[in-house]
Amino acid sequence: MTGRVGVVTFPGTLDDQDARRAVRLAGGEPVPLWHKDADLHGVDAVILPGGFSYGDYLRCGAISRFSPVMEAVIEAAGRGMPVLGICNGFQVLCEAHLLPGALVRNSGQTFLCRDQRLVVENADTAWTTRFESGQVITVPLKHGEGSYQAEPAEIERLEGEGQIVFRYEGDNPNGSAHNIAGVTNAAGNVVGLMPHPEHAVEPGFGPDDEQGIRAGVDGLEIFAAVLNRC
């Protein structure tokens, strides 16, 4: 049976269609979820996509965290359902306390948009099992408030317990602590990352690696990985 992956749309979301397309290309069935939905309509996993939910008023993701659908997401995540937050979705997960830490303004105070190389630090989460730890992938990033921060003791705990999922390779683009680009919860079912894997899912329409071997599809492996669990 094809895995059903819900993709939430909040007011101001702009990458929901890209995320649904990525799920479809990976072999899954994308299910649109509206922010006012009180249930998840029987999906097997959930994606909170990128954008500017509620115009990023108050703080990025701060209002979306209180949308009706998030109560269902929080409950489902507690039962072990895989949940992925991309960019603004990552911010929502932190605001909902499904992931630790917070995302703040980039250290350079500018919006970034570029291809980004990432080191896969944890290949054992629901979303990363098709990678190997230490593997380097390339996906686009585009954000203005993507600097991941947490208390030093919390960063030390995340490092020690293997909850860093992705790390920026080379130059730190936004000032994130320890070059962190993505983290997971202790159970490994909830993952948040700043770069956009949904924009690297089809040959010819995503960033190539230096040898041109991957042909822009590194991001597709994230969506394919979760379908193995469905």
Side-chain angles (χ1 to χ4, degrees), residues 82-136:
V83 178
L84 176 67
I86 303 170
C87 197
N88 186 240
F90 187 7
Q91 295 160 342
V92 175
L93 291 177
C94 290
E95 290 286 340
H97 303 296
L98 285 174
L99 291 176
L103 286 306
V104 302
R105 190 71 181 166
N106 295 345
S107 57
Q109 301 297 305
T110 58
F111 186 91
L112 298 173
C113 184
R114 73 186 202 189
D115 294 342
Q116 179 66 48
R117 288 168 65 85
L118 304 174
V119 179
V120 179
E121 297 286 349
N122 184 340
D124 293 324
T125 78
W127 301 89
T128 56
T129 54
R130 291 173 66 93
F131 297 125
E132 296 181 0
S133 294
Q135 183 175 345
V136 178

Side-chain angles (χ1 to χ4, degrees), residues 19-205:
R20 293 200 296 268
R21 182 169 177 274
V23 169
R24 189 178 300 110
L25 288 173
E29 177 188 348
V31 179
L33 297 175
W34 184 233
H35 70 113
K36 290 187 177 181
D37 287 343
D39 67 79
L40 302 179
H41 303 290
V43 300
D44 303 301
V46 172
I47 296 172
L48 306 182
F52 303 91
S53 60
Y54 289 92
D56 284 347
Y57 289 117
L58 299 183
R59 296 182 307 277
C60 298
I63 299 177
S64 295
R65 177 264 175 271
F66 294 101
S67 293
V69 73
M70 284 305 300
E71 297 306 313
V73 170
I74 291 169
E75 181 181 354
R79 298 195 308 268
M81 178 180 286
V83 178
L84 176 67
I86 303 170
C87 197
N88 186 240
F90 187 7
Q91 295 160 342
V92 175
L93 291 177
C94 290
E95 290 286 340
H97 303 296
L98 285 174
L99 291 176
L103 286 306
V104 302
R105 190 71 181 166
N106 295 345
S107 57
Q109 301 297 305
T110 58
F111 186 91
L112 298 173
C113 184
R114 73 186 202 189
D115 294 342
Q116 179 66 48
R117 288 168 65 85
L118 304 174
V119 179
V120 179
E121 297 286 349
N122 184 340
D124 293 324
T125 78
W127 301 89
T128 56
T129 54
R130 291 173 66 93
F131 297 125
E132 296 181 0
S133 294
Q135 183 175 345
V136 178
I137 63 174
T138 304
V139 297
L141 64 74
K142 50 174 187 175
H143 59 250
E145 296 180 82
S147 179
Y148 183 82
Q149 302 295 329
E151 293 292 334
E154 182 71 2
I155 295 292
E156 183 177 357
R157 184 189 68 80
L158 293 174
E159 292 279 11
E161 298 182 8
Q163 289 181 237
I164 310 302
V165 181
F166 298 103
R167 207 183 302 270
Y168 298 114
E169 186 194 57
D171 293 339
N172 188 326
N174 53 31
S176 287
H178 290 215
N179 282 22
I180 293 171
V183 300
T184 185
N185 64 344
N189 62 303
V190 180
V191 169
L193 76 159
M194 261 293 121
H196 287 260
E198 76 278 17
H199 297 321
V201 295
E202 187 173 12
F205 295 92

